[in-house]
């Protein structure tokens, strides 16, 4: 990590989230100061400087990375590589068809009872596999409240919607007054039962989580926090503190992990991650097949790999630590849960089930 030399007299310290954002690594030159880059990374960073998904890495997140090893699971998530220039069959610019399902500016509705509100396009770290690489870091920053008015009006007019996912970008990169205004608007819509804040801040910017922020998040009566840890190395003392603070303030925390080739696509890594999360009172919710975002094929696994991994974990890892394996299907057709398939065969009221110990028959009661 770069030496945190403060040049502005009132510049806060690295333990302040604003310092982390202000000192984020955003250029190839800054990246070369902290990491020994491979050619593929150097070319990738040069490309990211010029166009597309920008480069940004907080000094904190960079401090978790290996200085010399390009295969490091932290580096692979945040350092661009030249493979991002490669497009393969099946790659999509907007893999979940969010633009086609936009019902008001910044509001996506793909399900009957929930909706997705994109309140900013900024993140502290840009993940190289991001589903929204088409728009994050491009398009104006935090959305002014006036620009979100039509989305609030749509939500207020649709009583079937009971759950709003607030995402972006990363909503927690916004300041408290803005978050407060959004949560108060949502709290004023009587049919909303839950608000979910989808954020990587506990992973990439844990300094952001403080008591004042937690109080703002509680302005909606049932705010859930959805985090995004992908590797056990991200479970640092700082992120552990951030998670404890959220939970101690009464905010339930769930985690969505993206399955990533060469980063977490093995049973031992996932087991350590999921057990580490539950030991911090965080419930692993989804293990997500990586979306077919253009230029991310080097980070993705075949669909079968996730099923194989779940088969390896099933029965061997506590149920509270096991997430559902989910694929968010292309073009916005919706999420589906995948196996492992437990039913081997069914005949005459006898169902043969495959458990982690082997096959066994289950006999139905007489009809
Ligand atoms: C993923 C997603 C949700 C939330 O889905 P859950 O399965 O309830 O977690 C809601 N809206 C959109 C548009 C989504 O992509
Ligand atoms: S934090 Fe989320 S929105 Fe931001 S770059 Fe990472 S995956 Fe994309």
């Amino acid at each position: 990590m770069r030496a945190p030399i403060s040049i502005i007299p009132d510049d806060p310290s690295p333990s302040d989230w604003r310092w982390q954002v202000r000192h984020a690594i955003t250029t190839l030159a800054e990246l070369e100061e902290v990491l020994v880059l491979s050619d593929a990374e150097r070319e990738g960073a040069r490309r990211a400087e010029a166009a597309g998904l920008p480069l940004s890495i907080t000094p904190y997140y960079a401090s978790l990375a290996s200085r010399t090893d390009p295969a490091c699971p932290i580096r692979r998530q945040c350092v661009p590589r030249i493979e991002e220039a490669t497009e393969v069959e099946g790659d999509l610019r907007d893999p979940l068809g969010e633009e086609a399902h936009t019902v008001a500016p910044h509001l996506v509705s793909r399900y009957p009872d929930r909706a997705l509100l994109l309140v900013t396009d900024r993140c502290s770290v840009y993940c190289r596999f991001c589903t929204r690489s088409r728009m994050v870091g491009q398009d104006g920053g935090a959305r002014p409240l006036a620009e979100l008015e039509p989305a609030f009006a749509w939500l207020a007019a649709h009583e079937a919607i009971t759950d709003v996912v607030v995402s972006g970008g990363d909503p927690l990169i916004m300041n408290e007054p803005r978050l407060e205004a959004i949560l108060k608007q949502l709290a004023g819509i009587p049919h909303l039962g839950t608000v979910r804040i989808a954020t990587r801040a506990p992973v990439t910017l844990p300094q952001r989580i403080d008591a004042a922020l937690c109080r703002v998040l509680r302005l909606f009566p049932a705010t859930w926090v959805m985090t995004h840890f992908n590797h056990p190395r991200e479970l640092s003392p700082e992120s552990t503190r951030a998670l404890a603070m959220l939970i101690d303030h009464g905010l339930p925390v769930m985690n969505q992990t993206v399955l990533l080739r060469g980063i977490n696509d093995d049973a031992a890594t996932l087991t350590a991650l999921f057990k580490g999360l539950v030991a911090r009172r965080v419930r692993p919710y989804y293990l997500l097949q990586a979306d077919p975002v253009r230029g991310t094929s080097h980070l993705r696994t075949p669909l079968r790999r996730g099923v194989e991994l779940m088969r390896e974990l099933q029965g061997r890892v506590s149920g509270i630590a096991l997430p559902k394996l989910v694929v968010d299907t292309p073009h916005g057709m919706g999420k589906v849960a995948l196996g492992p398939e437990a039913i081997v065969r069914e005949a005459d009221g006898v169902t043969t089930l495959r458990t982690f110990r082997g096959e066994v028959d289950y006999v139905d009661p007489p009809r």
Side-chain angles (χ1 to χ4, degrees), residues 53 77 120-133 135-136 167-171 198-201 204 228 258:
L53 180 65
Q77 291 187 62
T120 179
D121 74 332
R122 293 302 142 91
C123 305
S124 57
V125 169
Y126 291 116
C127 313
R128 305 322 298 175
F129 47 88
C130 178
T131 298
R132 300 198 186 102
S133 63
M135 55 83 83
V136 295
S167 186
D170 193 329
T199 178
R200 267 209 114 179
T204 56
H228 177 178
V258 178

Side-chain angles (χ1 to χ4, degrees), residues 212-223:
L213 174 72
C214 292
R215 281 192 294 272
V216 168
L217 295 180
R218 291 300 313 270
L219 288 173
F220 189 90
T223 301

Side-chain angles (χ1 to χ4, degrees), residues 57-90:
I57 309 171
T58 55
Y60 161 77
Y61 198 63
S63 79
L64 303 180
S66 160
R67 207 179 124 66
T68 51
D69 179 13
C72 159
I74 304 296
R75 265 168 91 138
R76 298 260 294 156
Q77 291 187 62
C78 62
V79 174
R81 296 176 62 91
I82 193 57
E83 289 93 320
E84 291 180 10
T86 305
E87 282 196 43
V88 301
E89 198 190 333

Side-chain angles (χ1 to χ4, degrees), residues 199-274:
T199 178
R200 267 209 114 179
V203 185
T204 56
L205 188 66
Q207 299 78 9
R208 178 65 183 103
I209 312 299
D210 58 24
L213 174 72
C214 292
R215 281 192 294 272
V216 168
L217 295 180
R218 291 300 313 270
L219 288 173
F220 189 90
T223 301
W224 292 55
V225 176
M226 313 300 286
T227 61
H228 177 178
F229 285 85
N230 287 335
H231 194 277
R233 200 185 286 188
E234 295 168 340
L235 295 167
S236 68
E238 290 89 342
S239 68
T240 298
R241 182 207 62 83
L243 293 171
M245 173 151 284
L246 289 166
I247 296 161
D248 290 345
H249 277 80
L251 294 149
V253 180
M254 309 265 258
N255 187 74
Q256 308 193 138
T257 295
V258 178
L259 185 57
L260 294 164
R261 197 210 300 184
I263 294 172
N264 60 13
D265 60 339
D266 64 274
T269 301
L270 290 178
T271 300
L273 174 62
F274 299 150

Side-chain angles (χ1 to χ4, degrees), residues 123-348:
C123 305
S124 57
V125 169
Y126 291 116
C127 313
R128 305 322 298 175
F129 47 88
C130 178
T131 298
R132 300 198 186 102
S133 63
R134 67 178 188 281
M135 55 83 83
V136 295
Q138 316 278 338
D139 195 22
R143 312 307 184 202
L145 209 55
E147 214 176 296
L148 296 174
E149 281 303 336
F152 295 131
W154 190 95
L155 291 169
H158 289 77
E159 289 186 14
I161 304 293
T162 56
D163 178 22
V164 176
V165 179
V166 177
S167 186
D170 193 329
L172 296 191
I173 203 122
M174 300 192 303
N175 60 28
E176 275 89 358
R178 221 179 255 265
L179 281 167
E180 183 171 333
I182 290 169
L183 287 164
K184 281 187 171 160
Q185 284 282 333
L186 295 175
I189 302 174
H191 49 270
L192 295 183
T194 43
V195 164
R196 294 189 247 177
I197 304 287
T199 178
R200 267 209 114 179
V203 185
T204 56
L205 188 66
Q207 299 78 9
R208 178 65 183 103
I209 312 299
D210 58 24
L213 174 72
C214 292
R215 281 192 294 272
V216 168
L217 295 180
R218 291 300 313 270
L219 288 173
F220 189 90
T223 301
W224 292 55
V225 176
M226 313 300 286
T227 61
H228 177 178
F229 285 85
N230 287 335
H231 194 277
R233 200 185 286 188
E234 295 168 340
L235 295 167
S236 68
E238 290 89 342
S239 68
T240 298
R241 182 207 62 83
L243 293 171
M245 173 151 284
L246 289 166
I247 296 161
D248 290 345
H249 277 80
L251 294 149
V253 180
M254 309 265 258
N255 187 74
Q256 308 193 138
T257 295
V258 178
L259 185 57
L260 294 164
R261 197 210 300 184
I263 294 172
N264 60 13
D265 60 339
D266 64 274
T269 301
L270 290 178
T271 300
L273 174 62
F274 299 150
K275 290 192 174 200
L277 286 165
V278 289
R280 290 164 179 79
R281 295 177 282 164
V282 176
R283 169 78 168 117
Y285 173 57
Y286 283 164
L287 174 61
L288 289 158
Q289 172 71 14
D291 296 324
V293 190
R294 62 180 174 187
T296 62
S297 59
H298 60 295
L299 292 172
R300 301 194 324 251
T301 55
L303 212 52
R304 268 282 146 213
R305 183 67 191 132
V307 177
E308 284 165 14
L309 284 165
M310 290 306 287
R311 176 163 296 148
E312 286 182 56
L313 299 181
Q314 198 78 54
R316 296 186 180 85
V317 172
S318 163
I320 62 167
L322 262 196
K324 236 195 253 182
L325 173 63
V326 164
V327 51
D328 211 340
T329 55
H331 315 298
M333 292 291 286
K335 296 180 179 75
V336 282
L338 297 184
E341 182 57 77
I343 297 178
V344 182
R345 75 189 81 84
E346 294 166 278
D348 306 323

